[in-house]
Amino acid sequence: MSSTVARQGRLPQQLLILKVQGLPAKSSLSLEYHYKILTRLFNGNSRLACYVLGATIFTIGIFRDLLYERALRHQPTLPVFLTPFSTYLAYCFIAAGNTLVLSSMWALGITGTYLGDYFGILMDEPVASFPFNITAAPMYYGSTLSFLGTALLYGKPAGIILTAEVLAVYLVALRFEDPFTSEIYEERERERRSGKKME
């Protein structure tokens, strides 16, 4: 087996890490919301638990991005993706994607970005300013645009396939995450109306 084929054979393993990153963390965080598992590990300090989770998610995200870049480096290049127009488009996608991700992090803050609502750390009001006036999931779509831009920049069709896989995982995650997050905030409103405090 040639070394090129062997390197290309690693793509499914790297793809698995890209696919797995989003779902288990968010689905298992419903356990945090209901049973405070991580909060208990940090002696009842939900804010510290959220910060540690945020650092973990951030670190895994960097690792995921490195794997994505590494997977692309060893894949065949398609010359049509190496035109000046494609390069320009790639930089536009990367810039738009990073703008969506970074501006949403700015708008949400650390606990809003890293799932503080699952720890009972809720925002006073939903964020309606940019980029949330463009899309309800700017981090997911911004990340997808950045992956797509990187695939075009490297001229790698495999990157477009990986980007589609990442988007599919994000869309599945949103089907679970959005209703659960909405329920958290609806529960808070019900408790406010009844005069109870959320625990």
Side-chain angles (χ1 to χ4, degrees), residues 33 117-118 122 180-188 198:
Y33 180 74
D117 41 8
Y118 289 76
L122 304 182
F180 189 76
T181 302
S182 295
E183 178 57 32
I184 291 171
Y185 281 89
E186 288 168 12
E187 181 179 339
R188 179 184 69 177
M198 268 187 87

Side-chain angles (χ1 to χ4, degrees), residues 6-198:
R7 282 194 302 256
Q8 290 175 356
R10 285 191 297 209
L11 185 61
Q13 294 146 351
Q14 292 163 337
L15 175 62
L16 180 63
I17 290 173
L18 288 169
K19 289 168 80 171
V20 166
Q21 187 205 5
L23 291 179
K26 294 198 174 121
S27 60
S28 62
L29 280 173
S30 65
L31 295 174
E32 171 60 27
Y33 180 74
H34 292 294
Y35 303 108
K36 308 294 183 209
I37 295 167
L38 292 175
T39 298
R40 288 180 183 163
L41 284 175
F42 289 92
N43 202 28
N45 189 334
S46 60
R47 193 165 290 275
L48 178 59
C50 182
Y51 288 151
V52 170
L53 176 69
T56 303
I57 291 171
F58 184 81
T59 303
I60 291 171
I62 296 292
F63 182 63
R64 173 204 61 193
D65 292 349
L66 290 172
L67 283 179
Y68 179 74
E69 186 275 332
R70 183 177 173 190
L72 288 189
R73 196 178 328 139
H74 300 294
Q75 297 306 310
T77 301
L78 190 62
V80 72
F81 288 161
L82 298 176
T83 65
F85 175 75
S86 182
T87 301
Y88 173 76
L89 194 59
Y91 282 120
C92 287
F93 284 150
I94 292 168
N98 285 327
T99 299
L100 287 174
V101 170
L102 295 174
S103 60
S104 61
M105 290 177 79
W106 179 265
L108 293 171
I110 292 173
T111 56
T113 298
Y114 294 109
L115 307 168
D117 41 8
Y118 289 76
F119 292 86
I121 306 167
L122 304 182
M123 302 189 76
D124 293 333
E125 298 291 331
V127 178
S129 61
F130 183 83
F132 293 92
N133 59 352
I134 305 286
T135 174
M139 287 190 192
Y140 288 161
Y141 294 122
S143 179
T144 300
L145 285 171
S146 294
F147 280 125
L148 179 59
T150 303
L152 289 176
L153 191 61
Y154 281 89
K156 307 290 187 174
I160 295 172
I161 295 168
L162 285 174
T163 300
E165 293 276 347
V166 168
L167 178 61
V169 170
Y170 285 158
L171 292 174
V172 169
L174 283 171
R175 292 194 56 130
F176 294 97
E177 182 180 326
D178 283 350
F180 189 76
T181 302
S182 295
E183 178 57 32
I184 291 171
Y185 281 89
E186 288 168 12
E187 181 179 339
R188 179 184 69 177
E189 290 309 308
R190 286 192 299 270
E191 289 176 353
R192 280 180 173 172
R193 284 193 298 269
S194 69
K196 274 176 62 179
K197 186 180 179 221
M198 268 187 87

